[in-house]
Amino acid sequence: EVQLVESGGVVVQPGGSLRLSCAASGFTFDDYAMHWVRQAPGKGLEWVSLISWDGGSTYYADSVKGRFTISRDNSKNSLYLQMNSLRAEDTALYYCAPEPESGSYHFDYWGQGTLVTVSS
Amino acid sequence: QSALTQPPSASGSPGQSVTISCTGTSSDVGGYNYVSWYQQHPGKAPKLMIYEVSKRPSGVPDRFSGSKSGNTASLTVSGLQAEDEADYYCSSYAGSNNLIFGTGTKVTVL
């Protein structure tokens, strides 16, 4: 059974930093590209970032480019999102999701998310 | 890039059909056959209902169908059931390794 467990979400002040983690199990983690998607409270879904299966390629939404860094450790079946210079508009539930086929850009498995709140 | 445009709400009686539109541009919806649809119940993670415009994942009822014409994709739910009441989001590949989601549609079963 595929399981994705996000963690690391807390309340942080504007301008602060945070590192989210996603522990994956039930599938061959290093076979799949991984994404982060977020959802602000009461709002819609927003794609955040993508990392290739080997970590060699990373991509970001314009809204987070230069502030967030996606990474992975295939030996630990884990995905990360380093979030710097946080803003109020980064407040959201952050989900990780594997991409079932390279370049398919759809997600058939989601975690339950971890909540990041940026507030003073 | 701006979010894809969906109607805020849609509704139908049990057994009826409802169709949700998802309008983008030639740089996203119109340019690629990588449109997906997700169902999200309150407090739950999204669930994939349609991918690559019209393909249904295993386990999704055939009451759910997807299509695309030009820059607009559509999700049709036939034979509406109470459990179909949820928020629905479309998404589309937008080139340059970017993905965009729709604004979301709340479906109400009357």
Side-chain angles (χ1 to χ4, degrees), chain B residues 40-105:
Chain B
Q40 188 178 36
H41 288 109
K44 301 295 187 181
K47 176 186 177 183
L48 180 68
M49 306 304 284
I50 296 287
Y51 67 101
E52 292 177 14
V53 177
S54 60
K55 297 179 181 179
R56 253 188 331 272
S58 172
V60 172
D62 59 7
R63 303 184 293 103
F64 291 85
S65 62
S67 62
K68 189 183 84 166
S69 178
N71 297 337
T72 298
S74 298
L75 173 72
T76 297
V77 185
S78 305
L80 264 176
Q81 299 182 4
E83 60 262 35
D84 299 333
E85 184 161 296
D87 293 327
Y88 291 82
Y89 295 93
C90 62
S91 70
S92 175
Y93 180 62
S96 301
N97 293 288
N98 277 281
L99 177 71
I100 54 174
F101 283 92
T103 50
T105 298

Side-chain angles (χ1 to χ4, degrees), chain B residues 27-40:
Chain B
S27 297
D28 38 68
V29 174
Y32 306 94
N33 287 324
Y34 289 116
V35 176
S36 303
W37 289 91
Y38 298 89
Q39 176 192 67
Q40 188 178 36

Side-chain angles (χ1 to χ4, degrees), chain A residues 21-101:
Chain A
S21 299
C22 167
S25 61
F27 64 103
T28 306
F29 183 71
D30 54 11
D31 276 352
Y32 296 92
M34 294 291 297
H35 294 251
W36 286 99
V37 175
R38 69 184 180 183
Q39 185 170 32
K43 302 296 185 182
L45 300 167
E46 180 186 15
W47 175 76
V48 174
S49 185
L50 156 68
I51 187 167
S52 59
W53 67 273
D54 62 351
S57 298
T58 58
Y59 306 93
Y60 302 92
D62 288 345
S63 58
V64 307
K65 201 172 295 182
R67 301 187 299 122
F68 290 10
T69 302
I70 190 172
S71 62
R72 64 191 297 161
D73 184 338
N74 287 345
S75 69
K76 296 182 178 180
N77 288 353
S78 292
L79 175 72
Y80 306 102
L81 186 67
Q82 177 66 41
M83 309 165 68
N84 298 331
S85 303
L86 283 161
R87 306 167 180 167
E89 54 265 36
D90 295 320
T91 294
L93 190 62
Y94 284 74
Y95 295 101
C96 65
E99 186 176 280
E101 295 175 36

